[in-house]
Amino acid sequence: MPPALPDHLPDFLPSPGAMLFNSFEYLLLFLPLTVSIYFVLNRRIGVLAGKLWLVTASLFFYGWWSLSYLWLICGSMLFNYLLGGGIAHWREQRGNRARLLLTIAIVGNLALLGYYKYADFFISNINLLRDTPSPLLNIALPLGISFFTIQQIAYLVDVYEGVVVEKSIIDYGLFVTFFPHLLAGPILHHKEMMPQFADKNSSIIDWENIYIGLFIIGIGLLKKVLLASSLSSASDAGFNSASSLAFHDAWITSLSYSMQIYFDFSGYTDMAIGAALLFNIHLPENFNSPFKAINLQDYWKRWHITLTRFITSYIYTPLVRYTAGSINFQKSMIATFFAMCVAGLWHGASWHYVLFGVMHGAGLVVSHTWHRLKFNTPNWLGWTVTFLFVNMALVIFRADNMVTASNVLKSMLGLNGFDIKNDLAMWISGLADPGTWDPFSDIGFYPARKILILLSAILIVFFAPNTLEICRSKYISSSKYAYLLTGSAIGIGLFYMLFMTSGIHTFIYFYF
């Protein structure tokens, strides 16, 4: 996987490419057919047939990318299902074999993830250290492997701790492959999804869930095609010209990427939650206006919430709980820093992802220490510092390499000049002579329409309610205009995809 995350599907993904949530084949064929057949089977044959259909449809959804990798996810599921059953059995016997099986299972999962995601990273670094020409494996990263691997690790730990156990292989397959969350989350616990499928009411069509689910899908689609995909060209242009950016160009570049990834991930999350709701399944909240956070702890409680939950439960907590000595603030901060370094590396096999994790780990340590010392910080100041820090860390996250990141950051700090006077001259002179003013003139090398899209995105992020807040409002849940709003959102999104874009753009988190 290349360090930079292109907005279009990269060349190393086999044809015909993943079935994207914002593609016509998904929205107009796969999703409506899957939902319709699921409820018909539930009614005519039984719940088991409906579940089997969902597993089959989800594997088809995954196999649309590459049939050759179906064996990978199926083998991973079978491996974890069998070892999960063994862990549950030996746990009841109160022996040490359950712990041994858990260790084997975790090592096996990490080995699979390590081979496909990190093998070339380690080989290239060994080559660099030893100055050897060992060839890279050039392995295509299987879609969703990071998500379905850590979800199954969490399941195995829950089995070991006696929280859950799954005896049905069909139910276990559904837990892992359920297509709304398969490729990019949310990262689920067995106990929060499978009891919903066991509820007999979930097998019956709920029309309120249908229209709310479609409304959420429509909002997510608009976020992706109108905002995220539009902002991608601006951020790409800036990062591709990092060495020549002026101060304002660098800020437009960084803010464009911050808003792009915000609406890309928020849009994906909406479409995942909306799709699951069509089946009467409520996925956990995964995104809650993170750019409104007033400190870094608050940010990670709002951004990729289920990943933060996993890191806290399965990395941070064991580090604190099982290391020698009593729990204290110093030990907690060391565990926090290490957990965020792991989180950075989880995002991709590159040192700039590690540095991204290091930055957030150090930032959290400083933030926790500041809070512990009980310094009073106004909310506006806390928000400003947090947003600026997150925005700069995302420059590291997005850059192809550290030279590119350094160039962008230097320009943002004004070290490469403040060449804004000439770019704004036409706008300023236009105030004195309105007859000559062109509000759509370019600023730097950015077309004004890109800047207007960026400003619109910023206003939406900071002043508009998020999707969950809209759906929780009484107006949406009870309004007679709900169907009109739903149809309008999806219709506008499809129209824009058909006539206003050059192609279907993938979601950034598909590459993790």
Side-chain angles (χ1 to χ4, degrees):
M1 182 184 73
L5 300 176
D7 196 49
H8 289 277
L9 286 172
D11 294 336
F12 65 82
L13 287 180
S15 178
M19 184 182 293
L20 305 175
F21 280 2
N22 55 321
S23 64
F24 291 108
E25 61 263 29
Y26 173 82
L27 290 168
L28 301 180
L29 291 174
F30 177 80
L31 184 59
L33 283 175
T34 302
V35 173
S36 301
I37 295 174
Y38 172 71
F39 285 113
V40 168
L41 289 174
N42 282 338
R43 183 175 180 179
R44 298 290 180 86
I45 300 178
V47 173
L48 184 61
K51 290 179 179 179
L52 186 58
W53 162 251
L54 265 188
V55 174
T56 304
S58 296
L59 289 174
F60 174 84
F61 174 82
Y62 189 82
W64 188 268
W65 164 57
S66 174
L67 289 174
S68 61
Y69 278 91
L70 272 178
W71 69 267
L72 180 68
I73 189 171
C74 291
S76 174
M77 285 192 298
L78 183 60
F79 173 81
N80 287 289
Y81 170 74
L82 293 175
L83 285 182
I87 292 169
H89 172 76
W90 289 110
R91 185 182 182 281
E92 293 177 356
Q93 304 300 317
R94 299 181 181 276
N96 292 326
R97 293 185 181 180
R99 180 183 291 272
L100 175 62
L101 284 179
L102 177 64
T103 302
I104 292 172
I106 292 176
V107 170
N109 279 285
L110 293 179
L112 181 72
L113 184 61
Y115 174 75
Y116 281 99
K117 192 167 184 176
Y118 301 103
D120 280 346
F121 175 64
F122 288 118
I123 292 173
S124 61
N125 280 281
I126 291 172
N127 287 345
L128 184 64
L129 290 173
R130 296 184 177 181
D131 195 22
T132 57
S134 300
L136 299 180
L137 301 177
N138 294 318
I139 304 169
L141 179 68
L143 289 178
I145 189 171
S146 297
F147 289 91
F148 67 70
T149 298
I150 66 173
Q151 180 166 306
Q152 292 185 98
I153 290 175
Y155 166 77
L156 293 169
V157 174
D158 288 346
V159 171
Y160 178 76
E161 293 181 349
V163 177
V164 297
V165 62
E166 182 55 74
K167 297 181 179 180
S168 167
I169 192 169
I170 294 177
D171 283 351
Y172 184 78
L174 181 57
F175 160 66
V176 176
T177 66
F178 186 46
F179 70 87
H181 75 85
L182 175 58
L183 297 183
I187 301 165
L188 301 178
H189 287 289
H190 183 281
K191 63 183 179 181
E192 63 191 354
M193 184 175 81
M194 296 316 296
Q196 296 185 65
F197 277 107
D199 186 347
K200 63 180 181 180
N201 292 324
S202 69
S203 63
I204 303 170
I205 292 180
D206 185 323
W207 291 106
E208 183 175 356
N209 282 344
I210 293 290
Y211 86 71
I212 293 178
L214 289 174
F215 175 75
I216 296 174
I217 289 172
I219 294 298
L221 183 63
L222 292 180
K223 289 178 180 179
K224 174 59 179 173
V225 301
L226 291 181
L227 294 171
S229 295
S230 297
L231 290 163
S232 66
S233 58
S235 63
D236 290 345
F239 280 98
N240 291 336
S241 306
S243 60
S244 60
L245 293 177
F247 174 77
H248 61 289
D249 290 329
W251 276 100
I252 293 172
T253 296
S254 65
L255 289 172
S256 292
Y257 182 70
S258 293
M259 296 300 146
Q260 177 197 348
I261 196 172
Y262 180 101
F263 284 107
D264 190 283
F265 187 42
S266 176
Y268 171 84
T269 300
D270 286 350
M271 298 187 80
I273 290 174
L277 197 56
L278 302 182
F279 299 93
N280 300 319
I281 302 300
H282 295 262
L283 296 184
E285 183 179 355
N286 202 35
F287 196 89
N288 184 22
S289 300
F291 286 172
K292 294 180 180 178
I294 59 174
N295 55 54
L296 213 51
Q297 302 100 295
D298 187 26
Y299 172 80
W300 281 104
K301 290 177 182 177
R302 293 167 173 262
W303 177 277
H304 210 330
I305 297 170
T306 57
L307 176 63
T308 302
R309 180 178 66 177
F310 177 87
I311 293 169
T312 301
S313 299
Y314 301 103
I315 299 178
Y316 168 81
T317 300
L319 282 173
V320 172
R321 184 184 298 171
Y322 298 117
T323 51
S326 59
I327 298 175
N328 54 42
F329 181 74
Q330 182 180 7
K331 182 185 292 186
S332 175
M333 291 302 96
I334 292 173
T336 296
F337 180 80
F338 178 79
M340 291 310 300
C341 291
V342 173
L345 186 60
W346 174 85
H347 280 89
S350 177
W351 284 111
H352 69 97
Y353 288 124
V354 177
L355 180 57
F356 171 80
V358 168
M359 286 183 66
H360 273 279
L364 281 169
V365 170
V366 171
S367 184
H368 278 290
T369 303
W370 186 271
H371 180 73
R372 182 180 174 84
L373 295 174
K374 298 181 179 179
F375 289 125
N376 254 337
T377 305
N379 284 348
W380 67 266
L381 180 59
W383 170 83
T384 302
V385 172
T386 301
F387 180 73
L388 291 176
F389 177 87
V390 168
N391 187 65
M392 289 187 170
L394 283 172
V395 171
I396 305 290
F397 186 87
R398 166 60 180 83
D400 294 343
N401 49 62
M402 292 310 302
V403 174
T404 298
S406 176
N407 284 333
V408 176
L409 290 173
K410 285 179 180 178
S411 296
M412 291 173 67
L413 295 173
L415 301 179
N416 291 333
F418 295 85
D419 188 21
I420 193 171
K421 182 178 179 180
N422 293 331
D423 295 326
L424 291 179
M426 185 179 298
W427 284 48
I428 295 172
S429 63
L431 296 176
D433 187 3
T436 65
W437 186 39
D438 179 9
F440 294 100
S441 58
D442 294 355
I443 296 183
F445 59 84
Y446 285 105
R449 65 183 182 86
K450 296 294 184 184
I451 300 172
L452 292 175
I453 293 173
L454 174 59
L455 292 175
S456 299
I458 291 172
L459 290 175
I460 292 171
V461 164
F462 295 119
F463 298 104
N466 61 40
T467 306
L468 288 175
E469 290 169 341
I470 293 173
C471 290
R472 287 169 180 163
S473 69
K474 294 181 180 179
Y475 177 78
I476 292 297
S477 61
S478 62
S479 172
K480 63 181 179 180
Y481 300 110
Y483 292 99
L484 178 61
L485 291 171
T486 299
S488 298
I490 295 178
I492 293 171
L494 292 174
F495 176 85
Y496 192 85
M497 288 163 56
L498 185 61
F499 295 105
M500 304 298 291
T501 62
S502 57
I504 302 300
H505 297 245
T506 192
F507 290 90
I508 290 174
Y509 266 72
F510 274 26
Y511 298 106
F512 302 142

